[in-house]
Amino acid sequence: MNETAGHTFDIAADNPPVAGCTVSHPVWEAGGNGLSYFSLGAGTDISAELYDYHRLELVVAGEAQITGAAPAVAAAGQAVVTPTNVPVGMRAEKDTVYVELSLEKGTTMNNVIKPGEAFTLKDLIPYQDGRIVNMDLAHNDSMKFVLMSFDAGTGLSEHAAPGDALVFALDGEATITYEGVENLVRAGQTFKFDAGGRHAVRADKRFKMALLVTLA
């Protein structure tokens, strides 16, 4: 995965839109899966095309208009899973940055996701007093994409992931200890673990995150 582990970063700040241009930044690819960052300058678009697999478009800044056969609008913090085998494009009326997770054919998706409908990731999973809640959103042989919520004071003891992983902080804040170094992670920030990297999570306040774990 083309990111540096062990520190927080801001996808929107690191991928500023260029006036009049669309910019893509591939980050990871395995099997039929892929992760890329897209920056669209105000008034630009990506033409509608047909795909035989789903793509999860997570907006991190601005507002993306999904065009074509399944129109929808997603603001920052919202996502859309594109339908398959119909024309789908992207347009931005203002500077916009989004993360695209391509999901290989045969990916198992949670029924809470309705392709073509915008949803807010952090609203899909509740908090529960004194508990950690997990929701598996999508998985296949090469990756797993999950949501987690932590009540304040809860956390995960030190462990390692089988592959590279990205934490997308959605709400609140937590301390991620990575290879013995503490890192404060707040909503809107992202953090990477390398495969085998030892890490722990402690929710300083109530905290929600999306987690992409690569398995190949």
Side-chain angles (χ1 to χ4, degrees):
M1 190 178 288
N2 186 24
E3 286 289 4
T4 302
H7 69 96
T8 59
F9 57 97
D10 185 322
I11 293 172
D14 293 346
N15 296 272
V18 178
C21 300
T22 64
V23 181
S24 61
H25 174 202
V27 179
W28 167 73
E29 185 176 356
N33 305 289
L35 182 73
S36 296
Y37 307 148
F38 282 83
S39 304
L40 275 60
T44 65
D45 67 89
I46 297 173
S47 299
E49 298 177 323
L50 286 79
Y51 295 89
D52 61 358
Y53 55 87
H54 294 289
R55 296 171 296 145
L56 187 149
E57 317 287 11
L58 171 60
V59 179
V60 295
E63 184 178 88
Q65 298 179 9
I66 291 79
T67 63
V73 177
Q78 291 188 308
V80 175
V81 171
T82 61
T84 60
N85 299 311
V86 298
V88 175
M90 302 290 284
R91 178 171 178 80
E93 295 299 335
K94 56 185 177 181
D95 286 353
T96 297
V97 181
Y98 64 91
V99 176
E100 180 175 278
L101 177 61
S102 299
L103 305 170
E104 69 181 19
K105 290 190 292 184
T107 295
T108 300
M109 292 197 304
N110 194 303
N111 289 333
V112 300
I113 298 175
K114 308 299 181 186
E117 297 181 7
F119 56 91
T120 303
L121 277 178
K122 70 177 183 179
D123 291 346
L124 294 183
I125 189 168
Y127 287 114
Q128 287 199 352
D129 291 344
R131 292 171 173 79
I132 301 169
V133 183
N134 292 266
M135 176 184 287
D136 188 343
L137 280 187
H139 68 269
N140 56 48
D141 290 343
S142 299
M143 70 93 209
K144 191 168 188 177
F145 188 60
V146 303
L147 297 179
M148 301 182 71
S149 73
F150 299 78
D151 193 18
T154 65
L156 302 175
S157 58
E158 187 178 70
H159 62 286
D164 289 352
L166 282 182
V167 169
F168 301 91
L170 305 175
D171 187 49
E173 63 183 49
T175 297
I176 295 178
T177 303
Y178 184 78
E179 296 293 352
V181 178
E182 291 190 349
N183 302 268
L184 182 62
V185 181
R186 295 187 174 94
Q189 296 180 318
T190 307
F191 193 93
K192 183 198 174 190
F193 308 135
D194 279 338
R198 305 296 300 178
H199 59 274
V201 179
R202 182 184 72 248
D204 304 308
K205 301 178 179 179
R206 283 189 156 188
F207 180 65
K208 292 181 181 180
M209 71 183 193
L211 176 67
L212 173 65
V213 180
T214 64
L215 305 175

